[in-house]
């Protein structure tokens, strides 16, 4: 598991707890935000396990009905298919839940907390500039109309590119990973498109700034 990926997730969860126009958080406040984000991940692991248990119970019930309570072959097949799908969902949830404790454990590593803190500080301290740049690359849309979680994913990636020296493609890929967990398919595509336009814009600006030979 990549420490910086965990740091990005902690930063995202921390940003969601800050007001839209917040003063720079103190080290104490930031430490409390990161701790709250860690607890959120732990609670998510428990939720996934509980949901997986419920889905396995439903799957078992469907299997029993398919063999004992169905009136015809077609109904039996339908219930059997539902049981398989529920069991698969439970397996997927269990896999996620088993990964999360490793994330929670790694959140205590100094490098994770330091990078997460840097991300929050950069986004919070440069929010006006970041938002202006994002609004400029959006097509017929404005940042304030985007769901808050998608706004913060975009801000994190932009801050990494502009202020932390993260390669553009890495920042874009990591933003898409965050969107896979915290947004929906439409949000994921939107975030990917905006950041790719940002990358193109920055590339044009860099080429224009080069001295002509």
């Amino acid at each position: 598991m990549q420490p910086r990926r965990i740091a990005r997730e902690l930063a995202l969860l921390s940003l969601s707890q800050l007001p839209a126009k917040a003063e720079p958080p103190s080290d104490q406040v930031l430490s409390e935000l990161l701790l709250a984000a860690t607890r959120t991940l732990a609670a998510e692991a428990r939720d996934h396990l509980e949901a997986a248990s419920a889905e396995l119970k439903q799957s078992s019930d469907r299997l029993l009905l398919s063999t004992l309570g169905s009136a015809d072959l077609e109904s039996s097949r339908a219930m059997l298919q539902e049981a398989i799908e529920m069991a698969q969902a439970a397996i997927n949830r269990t896999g996620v839940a088993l990964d999360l404790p490793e994330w929670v454990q790694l959140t205590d590593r100094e490098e994770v907390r330091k990078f997460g803190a840097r991300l929050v500080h950069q986004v919070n301290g440069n929010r006006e500039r970041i938002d202006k740049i994002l609004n400029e690359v959006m097509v017929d849309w404005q940042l304030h109309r985007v769901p808050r979680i998608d706004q913060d994913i975009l801000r994190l990636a932009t801050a990494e590119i502009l202020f932390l020296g993260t390669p553009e493609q890495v920042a874009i890929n990591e933003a898409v990973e965050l969107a896979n967990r915290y947004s929906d398919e439409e949000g994921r595509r939107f975030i990917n498109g905006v950041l790719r336009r940002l990358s193109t814009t920055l590339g044009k600006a860099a080429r224009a700034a080069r001295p002509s030979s």
Side-chain angles (χ1 to χ4, degrees):
M1 201 69 69
Q2 298 179 9
R4 288 201 168 191
R5 178 166 292 180
I6 301 170
R8 291 181 183 97
E9 186 157 352
L10 288 178
L12 178 64
L13 294 172
S14 298
L15 285 172
S16 69
Q17 302 303 311
L18 287 173
K21 295 182 178 180
E23 294 296 322
S26 66
D27 289 342
Q28 176 64 29
V29 169
L30 188 53
S31 178
E32 291 172 357
L33 287 173
L34 293 173
L35 177 59
T38 300
R39 288 172 174 165
T40 297
L41 289 177
E44 183 181 347
R46 290 193 298 271
D47 290 344
H48 275 291
L49 286 173
E50 290 174 2
S53 176
E55 284 164 345
L56 283 174
K57 175 65 167 61
Q58 289 179 309
S59 175
S60 176
D61 292 344
R62 284 296 180 184
L63 280 173
L64 185 61
L65 283 173
S66 71
T67 56
L68 299 179
S70 59
D72 54 62
L73 182 60
E74 191 61 34
S75 296
S76 178
R77 285 176 176 171
M79 284 186 284
L80 181 59
Q81 182 61 37
E82 287 181 16
I84 293 171
E85 291 172 357
M86 289 174 184
Q88 185 60 57
I91 291 169
N92 292 339
R93 285 186 185 276
T94 303
V96 172
L98 291 176
D99 283 340
L100 283 169
E102 181 184 358
W103 284 60
V104 174
Q105 182 181 14
L106 290 175
T107 56
D108 284 333
R109 288 173 56 170
E110 185 177 2
E111 62 181 308
V112 170
R113 288 184 171 271
K114 280 187 174 180
F115 189 67
R118 287 179 67 197
L119 282 171
V120 174
H121 277 303
Q122 289 295 344
V123 171
N124 193 73
N126 296 283
R127 186 182 295 256
E128 185 174 337
R129 181 181 174 188
I130 290 170
D131 287 4
K132 181 176 183 294
I133 291 170
L134 287 171
N135 278 317
E136 287 172 353
V137 298
M138 287 185 180
V139 178
D140 300 325
W141 207 251
Q142 291 293 307
L143 188 63
H144 70 87
R145 299 176 65 186
V146 177
R148 172 65 188 270
I149 195 70
D150 292 353
Q151 291 182 36
D152 286 339
I153 292 172
L154 286 167
R155 290 180 179 119
L156 281 171
T158 304
E160 282 205 63
I161 293 169
L162 295 179
F163 308 118
L164 297 180
T166 301
E168 293 170 14
Q169 191 57 54
V170 172
I172 293 171
N173 290 343
E174 291 300 317
V176 170
E177 284 295 322
L178 285 173
N180 285 336
R181 276 178 55 75
Y182 291 98
S183 188
D184 54 21
E185 180 63 24
E186 182 178 352
R188 186 193 66 78
R189 289 197 302 267
F190 180 78
I191 287 167
N192 185 55
V194 170
L195 292 176
R196 291 195 179 282
R197 285 195 294 274
L198 172 64
S199 178
T200 299
T201 299
L202 292 175
K204 289 179 180 178
R207 289 192 294 273
R210 291 173 189 161
S212 56
S213 56

